[in-house]
Amino acid sequence: MNKLAFSLALFFIWPGALVAASIERIDPPNWWAGMHNQDVQLLIHGEGIGGYEVKLDSTDVSLQAVDSTDNANYLFATLKISPSFNKEFVTLKFEKPGQEAIAYQYPIFKREPNSAQRAGFGNRDLIYLITPDRFANGDTSNDAFAEMGDELNRSKEFSRHGGDLQGIINHLDYLEGLGVTQLWLNPVLENKQPKSSYHGYAITDHYKVDPRYGDNALYKKLAKKAKQNGIGLIIDLIPNHIGHKHWWMTDLPSNDWINFNNTFSPTNHMRESVQDPYAVEADRKQFADGWFVASMPDLNQRNPLLANYLIQNAIWWVETANLTGIRIDTWSYSNKLFLSQWSDRILAEYPQLNMVGEEWSTTPNIIAYWQKGAINADGYASNLPSLFDFPLQASISPALIEDENWNTGLIKLYKTLASDAIYPNPSALTIFADNHDMSRVMTQVNGDATLNKMALTLIATLRGTPQIFYGSEIAMQHPGTESHGAIRADFPGGWVDDSVNAFAGKNLTQEQSETLAYVRQLFNWRKSANAIHTGQMHHLAPKDGVYCFTRFNAQERWLICLNKNTNDVTLPFAQLTPLLDSGKTATHFLSQEAQNLTQGLRLKARAADVFRIQ
């Protein structure tokens, strides 16, 4: 019997003829021998299964524990799998006095060679964020399914538009040419919600790709094809909540599975309460246990069975699809002790994997609290390597569009970076100018393509791992609206009837074409600029509308200067000396024009210039 047959989870009487099974599903649907943690907890769901005894037929797999809950339709069986296990499945036997026994062939696979040693994303990479429904429609046959609900209608901002995994596969060459080395997709797991399901953040099945995107096999194919193009795949997971149409919601595994007794009680969004020394427990509880909206039930990760389920789900996807990283939605809204356990368990399996958490706070001390290595006043120890640098993001567009003054303009960017001492590892942060939940950077800078390029230059050259949002390379914008449906607009060229095709460079405006060409040059140059990846940084305080910083190591030194002025500026050699380390020549990274620094450095008007210093 092949692996596909096993993964279909066949049931049969033991002994006896084939009959209808009382087991509806087992999660995870398979596991592997040779994992760091040899135990796997199986969620077993079926009518009355809680009254059955579980037995095994293997000497290489042992039954460590069987847990029941207040719901008789569930059992949780924990297996220990010996590294020497070399079969394709283990047979689970379910027995109950007076009832015919049931057997289930549970698949156990061999791990891919060096799976545990996989490299995660890091500072050498460019992460490209895609909302899959809005990027490209590569297979029109999966555009809509009656049983899934939520209409297909490209004319409506919050309906499904038809983008899918095949559309992304079809354009991997475009992404590689752009300089992309990592893909972060908004969640692609099943969202069987009645409306506005396109964003993916209301999961209804943790082990199934949404059929409107494809299936699990196509997701694995995307990861494989992307790897062939030098691109890793980052999964977006949501341990905090689910969609209210999740299959659990019709038969909850236990009465404490959902916070606030399965009754909507909104979060207060007080992220500060987690570390606020004056916060009352009621505020902390309302923040962490409260629901985002009524259609997103909040999960109770204090339940150890649920906590284990969520941890194993993350590991299962990394192993199944050969992923290079995890992006975690609404990081701080989950139980914080669970979050430490969650990240610790995953990194025990994949020590070099990277994970980045979303903590949407613009105060550095709140971000720093959650990073691995932080010494916190309350003793909390996080294991999360990276977080999104929301404080830096919040300073970029003001730095570019505000008039220069003692507390406005470039000084905001300078002061944000000056706060880096609070982070355990600022270079491990993930930096960005925009994402799927906020105004596109082109809109933030009032539709100014020059400032858009300056913002992207900052993202390419500051410390951290850069992430850009699909369409930034062609200066996509949404003037006059902050609607998320408009922010997550269709990428031009992703549908066969599109008159503009950015993939092919067809019918782009001059502004769009110039931006695209610049982004390609910028991020492909960045691939080999080692000092930009891991080098040190020094900067000069902004002066007269100019801000300069250097990234350097023992082999190379790069000087990046932003000139907001409407005229060219020449910086005196003496002013730049602290950044030069005796260098006398500045060579522009694109034009290769060299300047003698002893005569001053000429900066173009309204530009971010990058120079090699020698």
Side-chain angles (χ1 to χ4, degrees):
M1 187 178 292
N2 61 33
K3 291 183 179 180
L4 177 59
F6 290 133
S7 67
L8 294 177
L10 300 178
F11 305 103
F12 53 90
I13 290 298
W14 188 277
L18 191 69
V19 299
S22 63
I23 297 176
E24 295 182 14
R25 66 184 290 158
I26 293 183
D27 289 344
N30 67 272
W31 206 248
W32 298 267
M35 302 295 283
H36 174 80
N37 182 354
Q38 297 177 16
D39 291 355
V40 58
Q41 170 193 285
L42 307 183
L43 177 152
I44 304 161
H45 181 229
E47 184 70 28
I49 195 64
Y52 281 70
E53 182 181 3
V54 184
K55 295 182 179 179
L56 297 177
D57 70 345
S58 173
T59 57
D60 289 324
V61 180
S62 59
L63 188 63
Q64 295 296 102
V66 177
D67 294 292
S68 57
T69 70
D70 47 56
N71 187 337
N73 295 332
Y74 287 88
L75 273 179
F76 291 83
T78 301
L79 313 181
K80 180 177 287 294
I81 304 170
S82 169
S84 62
F85 185 87
N86 60 3
K87 299 179 181 178
E88 291 186 307
F89 65 91
V90 63
T91 300
L92 307 177
K93 303 174 186 177
F94 298 87
E95 299 179 351
K96 184 178 182 180
Q99 301 291 326
E100 292 183 288
I102 306 168
Y104 183 103
Q105 293 179 332
Y106 184 74
I108 298 176
F109 301 152
K110 293 181 180 179
R111 301 184 75 184
E112 292 294 326
N114 302 313
S115 176
Q117 286 71 47
R118 72 186 63 229
F121 66 86
N123 292 355
R124 295 180 180 275
D125 288 309
L126 167 62
I127 301 173
Y128 189 84
L129 166 59
I130 291 175
T131 302
D133 182 64
R134 306 300 169 87
F135 188 65
N137 189 346
D139 181 3
T140 57
S141 70
N142 64 17
D143 284 358
F145 297 88
E147 67 273 16
M148 296 298 294
D150 203 359
E151 68 173 337
L152 174 76
N153 190 333
R154 283 188 72 194
S155 67
K156 293 185 177 181
E157 288 184 354
F158 296 100
S159 292
R160 288 272 176 169
H161 289 192
D164 51 30
L165 297 179
Q166 188 60 52
I168 299 170
I169 291 171
N170 292 348
H171 297 293
L172 287 171
D173 288 346
Y174 166 82
L175 297 173
E176 181 184 12
L178 198 62
V180 172
T181 57
Q182 297 285 339
L183 277 181
W184 159 28
L185 309 183
N186 290 144
V188 297
L189 302 188
E190 183 190 86
N191 268 236
K192 197 174 181 179
Q193 296 288 104
K195 61 180 181 179
S196 300
S197 66
Y198 75 96
H199 55 70
Y201 288 98
I203 303 299
T204 56
D205 191 323
H206 283 84
Y207 284 96
K208 181 182 179 183
V209 166
D210 194 294
R212 290 162 292 195
Y213 293 142
D215 56 22
N216 290 16
L218 191 62
Y219 186 65
K220 293 171 64 175
K221 180 180 179 181
L222 168 61
K224 183 177 180 179
K225 292 281 189 181
K227 185 177 181 180
Q228 293 170 357
N229 287 74
I231 300 172
L233 185 59
I234 300 168
I235 194 169
D236 196 335
L237 296 179
I238 312 105
N240 178 67
H241 57 264
I242 57 176
H244 76 297
K245 294 298 183 179
H246 193 289
W247 69 268
W248 282 335
M249 298 305 293
T250 59
D251 193 22
L252 284 173
S254 68
N255 61 17
D256 65 345
W257 207 252
I258 304 296
N259 282 322
F260 283 106
N261 297 315
N262 195 26
T263 301
F264 174 56
S265 182
T267 178
N268 58 19
H269 297 289
M270 290 296 143
R271 303 172 184 87
E272 295 81 1
S273 66
V274 176
Q275 54 184 296
D276 178 4
Y278 312 115
V280 297
E281 190 57 34
D283 282 345
R284 291 193 180 106
K285 177 178 174 58
Q286 196 65 44
F287 167 64
D289 291 2
W291 301 21
F292 261 76
V293 291
S295 61
M296 292 181 176
D298 200 78
L299 296 173
N300 174 25
Q301 301 102 357
R302 293 180 295 274
N303 181 314
L305 299 173
L306 173 56
N308 215 18
Y309 183 97
L310 295 170
I311 292 166
Q312 291 182 166
N313 178 251
I315 294 170
W316 189 88
W317 279 111
V318 172
E319 192 75 17
T320 294
N322 195 23
L323 303 177
T324 54
I326 304 174
R327 182 265 183 184
I328 309 97
D329 187 62
T330 56
W331 173 261
S332 62
Y333 286 78
S334 294
N335 176 271
K336 69 178 186 179
L337 297 180
F338 159 77
L339 290 173
S340 288
Q341 180 190 19
W342 188 87
S343 49
D344 184 58
R345 287 267 304 275
I346 295 169
L347 291 174
E349 297 293 348
Y350 312 102
Q352 300 178 67
L353 189 78
N354 205 351
M355 303 187 293
V356 55
E358 179 202 31
E359 166 48 72
W360 195 332
S361 297
T362 57
T363 306
N365 71 297
I366 294 180
I367 304 294
Y369 178 87
W370 296 104
Q371 191 178 27
K372 182 178 181 179
I375 301 175
N376 293 313
D378 62 0
Y380 179 71
S382 177
N383 297 308
L384 183 66
S386 180
L387 290 106
F388 287 106
D389 194 345
F390 280 93
L392 180 66
Q393 183 279 325
S395 72
I396 290 175
S397 59
L400 297 175
I401 65 175
E402 291 180 352
D403 292 336
E404 291 299 300
N405 207 325
W406 68 274
N407 65 344
T408 59
L410 290 168
I411 194 66
K412 288 187 174 179
L413 177 62
Y414 174 84
K415 287 183 175 181
T416 298
L417 291 164
S419 299
D420 271 7
I422 199 169
Y423 298 115
N425 187 359
S427 66
L429 297 174
T430 301
I431 64 174
F432 62 107
D434 61 3
N435 65 22
H436 60 293
D437 283 329
M438 61 177 60
S439 290
R440 287 183 171 273
V441 64
M442 183 66 167
T443 299
Q444 293 178 38
V445 297
N446 303 321
D448 189 322
T450 297
L451 296 183
N452 182 64
K453 287 192 286 187
M454 291 172 73
L456 293 172
T457 305
L458 286 171
I459 296 304
T461 54
L462 287 170
R463 87 291 183 269
T465 301
Q467 170 251 300
I468 64 173
F469 189 30
Y470 78 96
S472 294
E473 70 273 22
I474 55 167
M476 283 178 63
Q477 58 181 313
H478 45 93
T481 179
E482 292 300 312
S483 167
H484 281 191
I487 290 169
R488 306 160 186 166
D490 294 349
F491 188 82
W495 284 255
V496 293
D497 57 349
D498 287 353
S499 59
V500 177
N501 188 335
F503 296 119
K506 175 185 175 184
N507 292 334
L508 294 176
T509 66
Q510 181 178 348
E511 185 177 83
Q512 291 173 325
S513 295
E514 291 176 353
T515 302
L516 179 57
Y518 179 73
V519 171
R520 281 176 174 155
Q521 291 173 311
L522 176 67
F523 284 102
N524 279 292
W525 156 79
R526 189 186 185 278
K527 287 182 177 181
S528 60
N530 293 323
I532 299 293
H533 306 154
T534 57
Q536 299 181 58
M537 175 176 165
H538 286 159
H539 62 176
L540 295 174
K543 183 179 180 182
D544 299 327
V546 176
Y547 172 59
C548 293
F549 60 94
T550 185
R551 301 296 309 281
F552 62 95
N553 57 23
Q555 289 74 43
E556 61 185 29
R557 178 175 293 263
W558 298 94
L559 178 67
I560 301 91
C561 288
L562 276 70
N563 176 18
K564 286 175 58 178
N565 296 286
T566 56
N567 55 283
D568 292 355
V569 170
T570 299
L571 299 183
F573 178 62
Q575 182 178 334
L576 289 169
T577 298
L579 301 181
L580 301 180
D581 189 35
S582 74
K584 297 293 196 313
T585 303
T587 304
H588 195 274
F589 83 121
L590 291 182
S591 70
Q592 296 302 304
E593 177 188 357
Q595 297 188 48
N596 182 346
L597 288 172
T598 61
Q599 299 176 8
L601 178 66
R602 298 185 306 279
L603 301 177
K604 296 177 183 177
R606 303 185 75 244
D609 286 319
V610 181
F611 303 94
R612 176 74 181 267
I613 303 301
Q614 292 172 306

